[in-house]
Amino acid sequence: MRQEFYSEVELLVQEPKEGGYVLDFLSSNPVTKTVINRVSSAVNGAVEASKQAGLEKATKIEDSLSTRIAQVESGILIPKDLQTMIDNPDASVIRRYGDRAISREIDQILSIIRAGHAGDSTFELFLSGDKSAKFEFNKESAGRFHSTVSRRELGEPLLYTATISSLDRHNNNGKIYNLITEKVANIHFFNEDFLEVAIPFFQEKKEMVFVGSPLIEYGAFDPDAGDIYFIKLA
C-alpha cells in the first residue's frame, strides 16, 4: 500500500485486556470502515469454503502440468489469448485476487494456532463495519482454513508473449517480462528438457511466444505477476 494511503486506514490500538490476549483496534475514518467490510467479506468467504472443502487432498502441480501438456499436445485443449482469460476467466477462477491476499494474511496468524505446541489455543477475530462478524478458530478449523486458502491448481492454457529475464537450470524455472501485461512473472518448466527449449530465446534476447498455464491460487488469478507453467512453444 502506498504511504499516502496510511492515514486513511490507521487504527488506534488499545491496551491489552485480560481473558487471553485481547486487543481492540478503533477508527472513526469512513475509509477504514470500507476496508473492514472488504476484509470481513474475504474472510467470511474463506471460512465458509473451508467448512465445505474440509481437508481434501489437492492434486500436485507437477501432475497437473503433465496433464495440461498431454491435453494441449492431443488437441483436447486449445490455448486462449491471455486477454481473453483476463476478460472472461475460466471456471476455476471464482474469486478476486484480493480475497486470496487477505485470506493468506489471516492464515499466517492461524499458523500459531496450528503449531504443535499451541495446545488448545484459539483465535477470535471480531470485525465491525457496516455489519459485525465474529470468526472463531481452533486447531482443527485453522487446519481446514489453511488447506482451503493454500490450494493451488493450473488454469486453462494461454498464449503468452514475453522476453526471458533469467533461467535457473537447477530449479527448472526463471523470470520473464510479459509483453502483454508489461509485468515480470515467474515461469516454471516441467523438466530440464522443457527449459532447454527456452534457452535460445534467452541467449539471443528474442521474444518468445509460448503456451503456458497460469497458477490459480485459492481460486484467484493474478494476470499481471502470477506464476506461469510452460507447456510448449506456440
Side-chain angles (χ1 to χ4, degrees):
M1 189 168 63
R2 295 178 184 173
Q3 191 169 357
E4 59 262 34
F5 296 155
Y6 284 10
S7 61
E8 294 185 333
V9 292
E10 282 181 344
L11 292 164
L12 180 63
V13 186
Q14 305 297 286
E15 290 290 332
K17 296 178 181 179
E18 294 182 5
Y21 186 74
V22 183
L23 276 179
D24 291 330
F25 297 81
L26 303 176
S27 175
S28 58
N29 192 307
V31 176
T32 309
K33 178 183 280 190
T34 303
V35 173
I36 295 297
N37 290 339
R38 178 74 179 86
V39 171
S40 183
S41 173
V43 176
N44 183 67
V47 168
E48 291 303 313
S50 69
K51 290 177 181 177
Q52 301 296 324
L55 293 170
E56 60 189 32
K57 190 175 181 180
T59 305
K60 289 183 178 178
I61 290 296
E62 293 79 6
D63 295 337
S64 295
L65 180 56
S66 178
T67 301
R68 284 285 186 256
I69 292 170
Q71 289 172 329
V72 171
E73 290 292 352
S74 63
I76 294 174
L77 288 180
I78 306 299
K80 300 177 181 178
D81 290 331
L82 174 58
Q83 192 59 51
T84 300
M85 171 68 162
I86 294 172
D87 296 337
N88 301 286
D90 71 38
S92 61
V93 180
I94 57 175
R95 57 180 59 84
R96 291 177 290 178
Y97 196 75
D99 285 14
R100 172 199 173 269
I102 293 167
S103 299
R104 290 297 291 270
E105 292 290 341
I106 300 300
D107 190 45
Q108 293 264 338
I109 298 171
L110 295 180
S111 64
I112 301 169
I113 305 302
R114 294 193 300 271
H117 59 266
D120 295 327
S121 297
T122 61
F123 177 74
E124 294 182 1
L125 178 64
F126 184 77
L127 297 170
S128 182
D130 289 332
K131 297 179 180 179
S132 295
K134 184 177 183 180
F135 305 99
E136 301 177 88
F137 298 93
N138 55 25
K139 183 172 290 189
E140 181 184 352
S141 58
R144 288 199 304 268
F145 189 90
H146 174 73
S147 178
T148 298
V149 304
S150 62
R151 190 175 186 85
R152 302 160 80 240
E153 57 187 309
L154 294 184
E156 293 182 8
L158 305 174
L159 286 168
Y160 292 91
T161 303
T163 55
I164 304 174
S165 305
S166 64
L167 291 173
D168 182 345
R169 284 180 179 271
H170 180 70
N171 295 302
N172 292 324
N173 59 25
K175 288 188 179 295
I176 61 169
Y177 179 73
N178 190 325
L179 294 171
I180 299 172
T181 63
E182 299 183 337
K183 299 289 183 180
V184 175
N186 295 321
I187 186 169
H188 304 268
F189 298 90
F190 186 63
N191 56 34
E192 191 171 348
D193 290 340
F194 281 77
L195 183 142
E196 290 281 351
V197 172
I199 289 178
F201 296 90
F202 175 56
Q203 292 175 332
E204 299 171 25
K205 299 180 180 179
K206 295 192 304 183
E207 292 182 8
M208 182 173 73
V209 183
F210 67 97
V211 179
S213 278
L215 182 65
I216 309 296
E217 298 185 88
Y218 176 46
F221 165 58
D222 179 7
D224 289 334
D227 287 14
I228 301 163
Y229 285 76
F230 179 89
I231 294 176
K232 60 178 288 187
L233 293 177

